Amino acid sequence: MKLERILPFAKQLLTKAVKPGDIAVDATLGNGHDTQFLAELVGETGKVYGFDVQENAIAASRDRLSQQAMLDRVTLFHTGHENIKQKIPAADYGRIKGAIFNLGYLPGSDKTVVTKPVTTIAAVKQLLDIMEPEGIIILVIYHGHSEGALERDALLEYCQKLDQKSAHVLMYQFINQQNNPPFIVAIEKR
Ligand code: SAH
């Protein structure tokens, strides 16, 4: 297939936005795959801030980064992404160039712990407030479970109303696939 699949497309956008020395945010650590990817992009002189409400996500991410010898460029917070502004030092705000949210629940983990529209939107608002112009926020929206469908609707309503003078908002989705596969909303701050 020539069309870029969903997750490679997300990585392509982040690669454009995040350069060595920059700061990036993984708003939902999960098992730490995205944190590792962002840690590679920011390089030795950059930094990744990661958030998750589950201790096992923190532990899995710490292990992964430690195995890759990149733990020193990552700070992991065992708290919700709605606390982004409170946790990230203000001195770093102007260097934030990219952020990713992998929404829904962590496969193989506690399916009752899912991201929620109110806190997801609160985190996006905070990021838009503090990040650099041309910084990109990626939302990977999993809408195959019932709470995911509600989160999708709330996020689309919020994102469609963002002032086009303040942000470019893109949706990238295969529209003829079965079983509600994930899709992307990308927000670039202007
Ligand atoms: N659905 C994706 C994985 C999503 S993992 C896939 O299939 O690949 C989502 C992660 O978000 C989980 O580890 C969960 O603990 C975390 N999470 C839930 N609410 C959160 C919040 N408010 N802040 C930060 N992380 C949160």
Side-chain angles (χ1 to χ4, degrees):
M1 183 164 91
K2 298 290 182 196
L3 295 173
E4 198 77 89
R5 291 172 198 276
I6 294 298
L7 297 180
F9 184 67
K11 288 187 169 177
Q12 186 184 310
L13 294 177
L14 288 170
T15 304
K16 275 191 158 184
V18 180
K19 301 295 175 194
D22 289 344
I23 290 175
V25 177
D26 187 349
T28 54
L29 286 168
N31 46 33
H33 286 289
D34 292 333
T35 313
Q36 181 184 337
F37 180 70
L38 291 172
E40 286 161 7
L41 291 181
V42 301
E44 277 177 23
T45 54
K47 186 151 205 77
V48 180
Y49 289 106
F51 293 81
D52 207 291
V53 292
Q54 293 191 81
E55 179 58 45
N56 55 355
I58 305 287
S61 303
R62 190 180 292 121
D63 284 353
R64 182 179 300 281
L65 273 295
S66 152
Q67 276 164 24
Q68 304 296 322
M70 293 193 293
L71 202 52
D72 52 340
R73 55 181 98 161
V74 171
T75 300
L76 304 176
F77 294 116
H78 182 196
T79 188
H81 41 229
E82 60 276 19
N83 299 314
I84 278 176
K85 253 178 143 170
Q86 188 198 317
K87 290 294 182 187
I88 297 180
D92 283 347
Y93 287 178
R95 285 169 63 204
I96 305 174
K97 300 287 178 56
I100 184 158
F101 292 69
N102 234 306
L103 299 172
Y105 59 81
L106 187 61
S109 177
D110 183 354
K111 291 189 180 172
T112 62
V113 183
V114 294
T115 53
K116 300 263 166 57
V118 172
T119 37
T120 304
I121 290 171
V124 171
K125 280 185 179 161
Q126 291 177 33
L127 279 168
L128 278 175
D129 201 19
I130 66 181
M131 82 194 310
E132 273 288 273
E134 300 189 337
I136 291 183
I137 304 170
I138 310 279
L139 305 172
V140 186
I141 301 178
Y142 287 77
H143 56 130
H145 58 295
S146 54
E147 287 189 74
L150 295 174
E151 185 170 41
R152 170 200 63 205
D153 293 345
L155 285 174
L156 288 181
E157 201 199 336
Y158 167 74
C159 290
Q160 282 167 346
K161 285 188 184 149
L162 281 170
D163 184 349
Q164 70 175 59
K165 293 197 206 78
S166 65
H168 303 287
V169 186
L170 166 100
M171 190 159 100
Y172 187 75
Q173 179 178 25
F174 291 93
I175 58 174
N176 67 335
Q177 290 181 347
Q178 310 267 303
N179 300 325
N180 304 313
F183 68 94
I184 284 175
V185 170
I187 306 170
E188 176 179 336
K189 179 170 171 172
R190 299 186 67 175

